[in-house]
Amino acid sequence: MPQKLTLKKIATDLKVSISTVSKALRDSHEISEETRTKIKDYAKKFNYKPNSIALSLKNQKTKKIGIIIPEIVHHFFATVISGVERVANEKGYQVIITLSGESFDKEVVNMEMLANGSIDGFIMSLSKETMSKQDFHHLREVTNQGMPIVMFDRVSKDIQCDQIIIDDVSASHTATEFLLRKGCKKLGIISTVDYVSVGRLRTQGFREALQQRMFEMEEHQVLKIEDAENCDNLIENFLKENEFDGIVAVNELFAVTASKALQRMGKKIPQDVAIVAFTDGMLSKYASPTLTTISQNGEEMGALAASKLIEKLEAEDHKEESYETVVVKTSLVERESTP
Amino acid sequence: MPQKLTLKKIATDLKVSISTVSKALRDSHEISEETRTKIKDYAKKFNYKPNSIALSLKNQKTKKIGIIIPEIVHHFFATVISGVERVANEKGYQVIITLSGESFDKEVVNMEMLANGSIDGFIMSLSKETMSKQDFHHLREVTNQGMPIVMFDRVSKDIQCDQIIIDDVSASHTATEFLLRKGCKKLGIISTVDYVSVGRLRTQGFREALQQRMFEMEEHQVLKIEDAENCDNLIENFLKENEFDGIVAVNELFAVTASKALQRMGKKIPQDVAIVAFTDGMLSKYASPTLTTISQNGEEMGALAASKLIEKLEAEDHKEESYETVVVKTSLVERESTP
DNA sequence: ACATTTTACGAAAACGTTTTCGACTTTTTT
DNA sequence: AAAAAAGTCGAAAACGTTTTCGTAAAATGT
């Protein structure tokens, strides 16, 4: 019921000017000890907090960073946010999150809404639709206005910005080679459609690992899934039509779905078929058997993205327009799904 | 590199006044057809978008709602956010998310930061530490300033605000009764410490279901877990010390941990022991066996919370100070962990 | 006693909007 | 032809800050 306390109100209550109040609260030497303590006491007593909107307008910076991700109900993205949030808060920034829902239009709308002064910079991962359209005009508009963007995971080389990625090719190579070393002969990969960069790159790593051992990857070894919603049948058929003894899956959902299908088919994991997944989330830890995975460390990616962005934001005179691509190390976490 | 376009810049470029530009863009009849189209064309060409910070300051509303939750790497909270975000966006609001990390202090700090003009209202779920301290002064300060709060899931009756909850007692009663009807005789419940409301209430529902069949709940039937991190041993001991044939778990993590422990002990699920969990998330769907759960429908809770909050926000003259508690229906999703 | 410096405060501009009001010009009415 | 009305635009205030600059009073120096 009492309206928000402002400088003006303090000023009239204490019969001084607004500027005096402002200076007193910021410990200016221009104000006498006496009035300074009087004002500060009053402010403390009634819990004065400067209005952040007014500050944003005045300073032309909001101390907020915007995140745009495809989905939040997704362990990897949730961990990234967690990392962003942690370092952002440490450095006095707040985080605004919007979801594109894998839709290009929603990504554009959200971006435009945030770009109009609401935030100082972006951290984002592209929606599937954006990846497939390869339309990045909304990103360009933002960077042209001098607002920095840091992209992670699903990125595009066509945009001038810092990028935080994992080396998908190499990670997938590692996973595949791991299976080969364990003695697997007939490998398959369950991937996404090619326009999703992680799917394409992980398939490439798979192929390269095979080539290194003088195998040529054949089409029937690859399953490309567009829509994760009803992947069950696709995966089951893929496994039935091929006699694999090792599977690489580009996410844990595909991996656990494959694991269950194989078990239904009477296969033992890891004895008959070994599985390596990407994304070290809940499912990998709690599925039966637990899954060997490539851990992406979303928390670290988020933290790095936030650091990079804030660094850019606070380097006022951004004369040196340099953009960096940071490759975050992955690690193979061995669990029960491999021998 | 080109600075952001403002009304002032358009005005000088077109040699009219700022007010004329503002009016023209808002299609005021005060401005002649001719200048109006001239200005609108210019604005469109250079992609003018009003600065939202300035608007917020002017209108004394930000069109943003703040969310404070304990963790984001948690399926239930992620679905709630998803629901909030959907409804908020439909109604032209944006969402700012902060995480308390289950810490009282961080909850207070985040709340104070957001309350200073950054947002119009709150949607939140209390941190464990706040629940245990029962210190709600930060919430009171906010409501006293006339800023509405909608709480969900982890709520407190002591705060005057709308609340979105599930009927934990009744849901737990349903889950327990379901096990009893399936023929279970020796039931146990894996819960949280009592100051977490959901743990307390679900334990109560468990007790009531037993009482209804003339059983008295005994202490050894209840396991109260404080820290989910290392619950494995606690759960394993609990299961070894008792010969249960039915388990109610207040979340899916406890449930799947119990399930694995039981299987290690050579028990068959659901033949030897049946399990019902709360929180219908990824684990329930993909664990082996899949888990029968009470579905909380976080998406709906989030959507409801957002609707309620926005309704309050847009009812300018909130003379009628009424607060509602909405109980969201739960449903029992039968899967493999029960006969 | 006068000039100079220091102290302590207030006025005003700026950030980007919207809106009220006043004023000038043109058109319509009588 | 004079009066009223309508049409078109700009000035200024307001939202809550911070900061620059100006200035009056007090203190200090000669």
Side-chain angles (χ1 to χ4, degrees):
Chain A
M1 102 222 212
Q3 67 200 356
K4 199 64 182 128
L5 196 56
T6 70
L7 290 187
K8 187 194 281 190
K9 181 134 188 5
I10 300 182
T12 57
D13 286 2
L14 261 44
K15 306 202 194 311
V16 291
S17 78
I18 296 179
S19 18
T20 303
V21 178
S22 174
K23 287 171 187 166
L25 292 178
R26 321 194 91 236
D27 273 323
S28 164
H29 61 278
E30 285 186 19
I31 307 300
S32 71
E33 180 82 29
E34 191 189 2
T35 48
R36 214 189 313 166
T37 56
K38 180 179 67 177
I39 290 173
K40 293 181 77 171
D41 287 352
Y42 190 91
K44 181 149 206 167
K45 182 173 171 193
F46 296 105
N47 196 29
Y48 169 79
K49 295 278 165 52
N51 180 301
S52 73
I53 295 287
L55 281 177
S56 295
L57 185 60
K58 173 84 176 123
N59 300 333
Q60 296 290 80
K61 49 181 69 171
T62 62
K63 288 286 206 169
K64 297 194 194 345
I65 73 191
I67 299 188
I68 303 184
I69 52 173
E71 286 292 346
I72 203 169
V73 188
H74 193 308
H75 189 263
F76 172 67
F77 287 124
T79 58
V80 172
I81 290 184
S82 190
V84 170
E85 215 262 354
R86 181 170 53 75
V87 323
N89 276 26
E90 277 169 12
K91 309 205 174 175
Y93 283 76
Q94 277 171 346
V95 173
I96 297 187
I97 300 175
T98 65
L99 310 177
S100 65
E102 302 286 10
S103 142
F104 174 77
D105 289 339
K106 216 175 156 209
E107 187 174 291
V108 172
V109 169
N110 281 333
M111 216 159 165
E112 286 176 349
M113 293 194 64
L114 289 181
N116 300 315
S118 295
I119 59 165
D120 297 338
F122 279 105
I123 292 176
M124 63 184 302
S125 187
L126 297 172
S127 80
K128 274 188 197 163
E129 204 182 345
T130 309
M131 301 288 292
S132 91
K133 289 178 97 138
Q134 291 280 309
D135 180 348
F136 306 125
H137 77 274
H138 50 308
L139 303 196
R140 285 221 184 72
E141 257 172 35
V142 166
T143 52
N144 282 344
Q145 280 173 193
M147 183 174 285
I149 300 179
V150 176
M151 299 181 63
F152 71 91
D153 198 52
R154 300 212 208 131
V155 305
S156 160
K157 305 273 179 213
D158 296 357
I159 298 296
Q160 296 240 323
C161 67
D162 291 316
Q163 310 196 337
I164 315 286
I165 54 174
I166 66 168
D167 186 341
D168 280 299
V169 178
S170 146
S172 177
H173 190 293
T174 303
T176 311
E177 173 62 22
F178 179 78
L179 287 177
L180 290 169
R181 260 209 317 279
K182 292 288 183 182
C184 296
K185 303 287 182 200
K186 290 167 292 183
L187 296 185
I189 181 168
I190 305 178
S191 181
T192 64
V193 283
D194 274 345
Y195 59 72
V196 179
S197 60
V198 299
R200 186 179 64 251
L201 297 172
R202 288 169 193 177
T203 303
Q204 185 186 330
F206 180 77
R207 181 191 297 114
E208 289 178 8
L210 291 183
Q211 283 170 341
Q212 195 175 303
R213 297 225 178 184
M214 303 306 163
F215 296 127
E216 206 51 54
M217 185 186 88
E218 293 166 32
E219 279 311 310
H220 71 90
Q221 291 179 272
V222 187
L223 175 62
K224 294 180 182 174
I225 294 180
E226 173 134 29
D227 181 15
E229 289 303 315
N230 25 17
C231 59
D232 296 45
N233 289 335
L234 291 173
I235 289 178
E236 185 151 0
N237 290 337
F238 178 64
L239 295 172
K240 279 183 176 157
E241 287 164 11
N242 298 272
E243 273 274 326
F244 297 123
D245 59 5
I247 296 288
V248 175
V250 301
N251 60 47
E252 52 178 11
L253 198 79
F254 292 170
V256 69
T257 305
S259 167
K260 292 199 152 202
L262 287 166
Q263 289 179 72
R264 274 198 305 275
M265 290 159 60
K267 306 276 190 181
K268 289 241 178 298
I269 297 170
Q271 294 85 348
D272 301 334
V273 187
I275 302 178
V276 179
F278 275 77
T279 312
D280 187 31
M282 283 290 162
L283 288 184
S284 306
K285 288 196 195 77
Y286 290 99
S288 298
T290 55
L291 299 174
T292 294
T293 62
I294 297 284
S295 166
Q296 278 174 268
N297 213 344
E299 165 88 18
E300 187 188 343
M301 293 180 78
L304 264 169
S307 295
K308 270 251 159 282
L309 182 60
I310 293 174
E311 187 183 305
K312 272 262 155 57
L313 289 176
E314 307 202 327
E316 321 269 339
D317 38 5
H318 37 26
K319 45 193 74 161
E320 11 80 40
E321 296 242 342
S322 71
Y323 299 104
E324 200 180 343
T325 295
V326 180
V327 178
V328 175
K329 277 235 168 45
T330 58
S331 52
L332 188 95
V333 181
E334 285 191 57
R335 294 208 184 83
E336 298 163 1
S337 68
T338 49
Chain B
M1 103 219 213
Q3 66 199 359
K4 203 52 186 137
L5 196 56
T6 70
L7 289 187
K8 187 195 281 190
K9 183 139 187 2
I10 300 182
T12 58
D13 287 0
L14 261 42
K15 307 205 194 311
V16 290
S17 78
I18 296 179
S19 20
T20 303
V21 179
S22 174
K23 288 171 187 167
L25 292 177
R26 321 194 88 235
D27 273 322
S28 164
H29 63 278
E30 285 186 19
I31 307 301
S32 70
E33 181 81 30
E34 192 188 3
T35 47
R36 215 190 310 166
T37 57
K38 181 178 69 175
I39 291 173
K40 292 182 78 171
D41 287 353
Y42 190 92
K44 180 148 207 170
K45 182 173 170 192
F46 295 105
N47 195 30
Y48 169 79
K49 295 276 165 51
N51 180 301
S52 73
I53 294 288
L55 281 177
S56 294
L57 185 59
K58 174 82 177 124
N59 300 333
Q60 296 291 80
K61 48 181 71 171
T62 62
K63 287 284 204 173
K64 297 195 197 337
I65 71 191
I67 299 189
I68 302 183
I69 51 172
E71 287 291 347
I72 202 169
V73 189
H74 195 308
H75 189 263
F76 172 66
F77 287 124
T79 57
V80 172
I81 290 184
S82 190
V84 171
E85 215 261 353
R86 180 171 54 74
V87 174
N89 277 24
E90 277 169 13
K91 310 208 173 176
Y93 282 75
Q94 279 173 343
V95 172
I96 297 187
I97 301 175
T98 66
L99 310 178
S100 65
E102 302 286 12
S103 141
F104 173 77
D105 289 339
K106 216 174 157 211
E107 187 174 290
V108 173
V109 169
N110 281 332
M111 216 160 166
E112 285 177 349
M113 294 194 64
L114 288 181
N116 300 315
S118 294
I119 59 166
D120 296 338
F122 279 104
I123 291 176
M124 64 185 302
S125 187
L126 296 173
S127 80
K128 274 188 198 162
E129 204 182 344
T130 308
M131 299 289 292
S132 94
K133 289 178 96 138
Q134 291 280 312
D135 180 347
F136 307 125
H137 76 274
H138 50 309
L139 304 196
R140 285 221 185 73
E141 258 172 33
V142 167
T143 52
N144 282 344
Q145 281 172 191
M147 183 174 285
I149 300 179
V150 176
M151 299 181 63
F152 71 90
D153 199 51
R154 299 211 209 133
V155 305
S156 162
K157 305 274 178 211
D158 296 358
I159 299 297
Q160 295 242 324
C161 66
D162 290 315
Q163 310 196 338
I164 315 287
I165 53 173
I166 66 169
D167 186 342
D168 281 298
V169 178
S170 145
S172 178
H173 190 293
T174 303
T176 310
E177 173 62 23
F178 179 78
L179 287 177
L180 291 170
R181 261 210 316 279
K182 292 289 183 182
C184 296
K185 304 286 184 201
K186 290 168 291 183
L187 296 184
I189 182 168
I190 306 179
S191 181
T192 64
V193 284
D194 274 346
Y195 59 72
V196 180
S197 58
V198 299
R200 188 181 61 251
L201 297 173
R202 288 169 192 175
T203 303
Q204 184 185 331
F206 179 78
R207 181 191 298 114
E208 289 179 7
L210 292 182
Q211 284 171 342
Q212 196 174 300
R213 297 223 178 188
M214 303 304 162
F215 297 128
E216 207 50 54
M217 187 187 89
E218 294 166 31
E219 278 312 310
H220 72 91
Q221 291 178 272
V222 187
L223 175 61
K224 294 180 182 174
I225 294 181
E226 173 134 30
D227 180 17
E229 289 303 313
N230 24 18
C231 59
D232 296 45
N233 289 337
L234 290 174
I235 289 177
E236 187 152 356
N237 290 337
F238 178 64
L239 295 173
K240 278 184 178 157
E241 288 164 10
N242 298 273
E243 273 274 327
F244 296 123
D245 57 7
I247 296 288
V248 175
V250 301
N251 60 47
E252 51 178 12
L253 198 79
F254 292 170
V256 70
T257 305
S259 167
K260 293 199 150 200
L262 287 166
Q263 290 179 70
R264 274 198 305 275
M265 291 159 62
K267 305 276 188 183
K268 289 240 178 298
I269 297 170
Q271 295 83 350
D272 300 336
V273 187
I275 302 178
V276 179
F278 275 77
T279 311
D280 186 32
M282 284 288 162
L283 288 184
S284 305
K285 288 195 194 76
Y286 290 98
S288 298
T290 56
L291 300 174
T292 293
T293 62
I294 296 286
S295 167
Q296 278 173 268
N297 213 345
E299 165 88 19
E300 188 189 342
M301 292 180 78
L304 263 169
S307 295
K308 269 252 158 280
L309 182 61
I310 293 174
E311 188 184 303
K312 272 263 155 58
L313 289 177
E314 307 202 328
E316 320 270 340
D317 39 3
H318 37 25
K319 46 193 72 161
E320 14 78 42
E321 295 241 344
S322 72
Y323 300 104
E324 201 179 342
T325 295
V326 180
V327 179
V328 174
K329 275 233 169 45
T330 58
S331 53
L332 188 95
V333 181
E334 284 192 56
R335 295 209 184 83
E336 297 164 0
S337 67
T338 49

